[in-house]
Amino acid sequence: MNTFDTEMARRLAEIQLAGLRRELRQIDSPQTTRVSSGGRELINFSSNDYLGLANHPRLLAAAHEALERYGAGSGASRLVCGSLAPHHDLEEALASFKGTPASLVFSTGYAAALGTITALAGRGDILVIDKLSHACIVDGARLSGATLRVFAHNDLDDLEKILKWAEPRRGDGNILIITESVFSMDGDHAPLLEIVQLKSKYGAWLMVDEAHGTGVLGPNRRGLSELLGVSDQIEVQMGTLGKALGASGGYICGSRELIDFLVNRARSFIFSTAPVPAAAAAARAGVELVQSAEGARLNRRLWENIETLRHLSSGLAQAPAGAIMPLIIGWELEATRAAGSLREAGLLVPAIRFPTVARGAARLRVTVTAAHQPADLNALAEALHRCGLEKAGPSVVS
Ligand SMILES: *Cc1c(COP(=O)(O)O)cnc(C)c1O
């Protein structure tokens, strides 16, 4: 081995020793409630495809049609020549879905967060983010060059303390609060009503990542912001097209001014090839499906499955009521072992470890979807019981 690869091997050994080594496992089937991996069929409790749209005939048909009509690739950045009709159609559908004047689509949710945060904030501004915010928010905040303050998870007193500190220091700069709506690894909700009150009180702006709220919460399934009736008080509504919407990509919804500004300043939008037309078309079909009667039915089905699973498993019942049900294990190696036991039992449940969650807060992250059948839910509850994972471990304060 040359010295470069020796160094890589040394670093990997360190990761392995800490119980944090990650490896890719090939899946040889579509992502449904059953996946085939290593010649085995596993019941899939790891997908964020909450409504089961990723393989819905209508999304597939839309993707096929766009593929035939617009080709496989989009050729260039939207600003150069890649601004294809499917992207514009998708943005119209998203804006109408979220009830905002405009929307902008990025190649991923990660790119949407990175490009938007760095466009909105820079030196002289203050970013205030929840401690458990997704990596794309943390990375965007760091890259922006703005002063970064982190408030304890969902802690309104801490948030207000930071806002009080920030107000006299802002000068000509702005204060931007950023949080997720439904937290990706814990499944709990941000107190958006109170956060909106605080941001008004201190003259701050608010950006909310609805990656796990969209399609799942609210009378029209627009997300937690809709459920709490605060959508029109959030300057920047962000999300992904890759979870409940069943396709791929990221979006920002907001005012026409915000969107036009991002077209000019969001670097991950400007300097990146437009999403493939098939992905945009599938996402648009997903957005439309979520709003339809079938979308309402799938959403009801999802919530029935959530309730059933909570009823079947005392361990999962300790998680917040929602599609994301973490079972806190604690030690990294133990979480990996638990995931291995479930795999042996024919279930795919990921062990989530540092740096996705805090050290010592490793967990199994069960996600349930509308597509799971009663037998799937029974199999999971039984396996959790049999593997002694029924009782959630100590909840770790981060
Ligand atoms: C998945 C996720 C993202 C990123 O979205 P992608 O489209 O997968 O890049 C952003 N925020 C949260 C909270 C997420 O869970």
Side-chain angles (χ1 to χ4, degrees):
M1 265 197 284
N2 59 34
T3 55
F4 177 78
D5 290 334
T6 308
E7 172 61 13
M8 292 303 112
R10 191 193 62 75
R11 291 186 191 181
L12 271 173
E14 223 172 76
I15 294 170
Q16 172 111 28
L17 208 64
L20 297 174
R21 174 133 187 190
R22 299 170 180 219
E23 272 167 299
L24 294 171
R25 280 220 181 86
Q26 182 171 326
I27 303 285
D28 303 303
S29 63
Q31 282 277 4
T32 63
T33 56
R34 292 282 186 296
V35 294
S36 129
S37 170
R40 284 189 64 205
E41 185 174 87
L42 301 168
I43 309 177
N44 185 8
F45 282 101
S46 70
S47 172
N48 300 313
D49 177 22
Y50 299 121
L51 300 177
L53 297 191
N55 291 278
H56 192 286
R58 224 170 312 151
L59 272 76
L60 299 190
H64 276 300
E65 199 189 305
L67 190 63
E68 291 299 330
R69 198 152 158 209
Y70 297 97
S74 47
S77 158
R78 296 269 300 276
L79 285 164
V80 176
C81 87
S83 198
L84 300 170
H87 303 129
H88 291 270
D89 294 344
L90 170 58
E91 284 164 353
E92 248 171 61
L94 274 166
S96 144
F97 174 41
K98 291 278 180 170
T100 57
S103 118
L104 188 67
V105 168
F106 293 70
S107 52
T108 64
Y110 187 99
L114 218 65
T116 301
I117 297 168
T118 53
L120 290 176
R123 208 172 295 280
D125 297 315
I126 301 171
L127 288 172
V128 188
I129 72 173
D130 186 282
K131 167 98 172 122
L132 294 190
S133 293
H134 190 266
C136 64
I137 296 171
V138 176
D139 295 355
R142 286 189 181 146
L143 191 61
S144 73
T147 301
L148 174 60
R149 299 295 309 267
V150 177
F151 62 98
H153 176 53
N154 279 349
D155 186 332
L156 293 163
D157 291 338
D158 198 32
L159 172 59
E160 180 152 27
K161 218 166 72 193
I162 291 173
L163 291 172
K164 272 202 177 110
W165 170 90
E167 204 184 24
R169 284 170 180 78
R170 67 191 297 177
D172 297 330
N174 297 294
I175 305 170
L176 173 63
I177 304 168
I178 313 176
T179 183
E180 290 176 36
S181 61
V182 177
F183 283 83
S184 61
M185 296 299 141
D186 293 74
D188 57 341
H189 295 180
L192 287 185
L193 209 63
E194 292 80 0
I195 292 177
V196 159
Q197 284 163 359
L198 284 175
K199 76 122 197 173
S200 302
K201 182 168 169 193
Y202 292 92
W205 297 334
L206 177 59
M207 172 169 170
V208 175
D209 179 353
E210 287 264 30
H212 299 278
T214 302
V216 176
L217 294 173
N220 299 293
R221 303 165 290 286
R222 293 173 185 166
L224 181 64
S225 317
E226 185 199 15
L227 184 67
L228 299 178
V230 293
S231 304
D232 57 353
Q233 294 172 75
I234 297 168
E235 284 80 4
V236 187
Q237 299 189 51
M238 179 210 140
T240 175
L241 305 166
K243 287 166 183 161
L245 295 172
S248 168
Y251 66 82
I252 299 290
C253 286
S255 66
R256 185 78 254 165
E257 292 77 5
L258 167 67
I259 299 309
D260 290 349
F261 174 71
L262 291 179
V263 168
N264 283 274
R265 282 289 181 272
R267 294 170 65 86
S268 62
F269 174 83
I270 300 169
F271 299 105
S272 188
T273 302
V276 300
R284 182 198 175 188
V287 170
E288 263 151 25
L289 213 142
V290 164
Q291 297 174 82
S292 70
E294 186 179 356
R297 191 178 56 72
L298 289 170
N299 182 273
R300 268 198 306 279
R301 194 60 210 284
L302 167 65
W303 281 96
E304 280 161 20
N305 283 348
I306 291 167
E307 283 315 317
T308 303
L309 209 41
R310 290 170 63 79
H311 179 73
L312 289 173
S313 161
S314 58
L316 295 178
Q318 292 178 47
I324 301 166
M325 305 182 182
L327 262 173
I328 310 288
I329 303 283
W331 298 121
E332 286 71 25
L333 283 166
E334 234 172 281
T336 313
R337 214 173 296 134
S341 309
L342 290 176
R343 204 180 158 79
E344 281 306 302
L347 296 152
L348 183 58
V349 177
I352 306 289
R353 297 165 288 168
F354 178 82
T356 308
V357 294
R359 280 184 203 279
R363 65 201 60 185
L364 294 171
R365 177 179 181 264
V366 170
T367 45
V368 65
T369 76
H372 283 112
Q373 299 299 311
D376 303 333
L377 307 178
N378 275 321
L380 174 64
E382 232 168 69
L384 287 174
H385 189 67
R386 210 163 353 101
C387 298
L389 299 165
E390 197 58 291
K391 242 182 75 211
S395 198
V396 177
V397 183
S398 47

